[in-house]
Amino acid sequence: MGLFSLFHRHSPRDTDEQKSWATPRDTEDGSFIIQDVFVITGRGPVFTGVMSEGSIHVGDEVLIDSPNSSLAALSGTVTAIETHHHKSMNIQSGDTAGLFINNIRVEDLPYTRSGSGFVLDTDGVKGSVIRRGVNTSPTS
């Protein structure tokens, strides 16, 4: 048994609550500014942009807040974060990333008419904000 193996051993008293320091979460709401959206076949839309404040973690409930009336209020859970072709568990203020969000389908995003049919209207999504910490349940 080597010296470093001692660091990897966990006592039977270790709980998930005691290990929560590994992924700190701030209390601020996160705001991610969408710069573009791409569609990956078999995976769905990926929203790329910059984290303007706070942080977003995989598993966070988020809401897309758009100044554009063509984009309905959409919400979901962050299922993956990629930064420079590497998977990440979270992003902080200033990070550039791509977010995969479940419950948001390509059909939910705005389209424009093209010569051969319809294409995704990325201009209708640009500038929208993905927010963490917002109650995403419908109000009654």
Side-chain angles (χ1 to χ4, degrees), residues 50-104:
V50 175
M51 194 71 196
S52 64
E53 61 183 337
S55 66
I56 290 181
H57 301 259
V58 171
D60 283 345
E61 294 288 325
V62 294
L63 175 73
I64 297 181
D65 184 17
S66 175
N68 187 345
S69 61
S70 68
L71 182 62
L74 301 172
S75 64
T77 304
V78 176
T79 56
I81 298 173
E82 291 192 13
T83 56
H84 305 290
H85 303 288
H86 292 90
K87 289 187 178 184
S88 180
M89 292 304 291
N90 62 56
I91 51 174
Q92 306 293 325
S93 180
D95 290 344
T96 301
L99 301 179
F100 292 91
I101 304 171
N102 75 344
N103 296 334
I104 297 179

Side-chain angles (χ1 to χ4, degrees), residues 31-59:
S31 295
F32 181 86
I33 309 295
I34 299 173
Q35 294 176 335
D36 211 346
V37 61
F38 301 95
V39 177
I40 298 179
T41 305
R43 188 99 190 248
V46 57
F47 300 92
T48 61
V50 175
M51 194 71 196
S52 64
E53 61 183 337
S55 66
I56 290 181
H57 301 259
V58 171

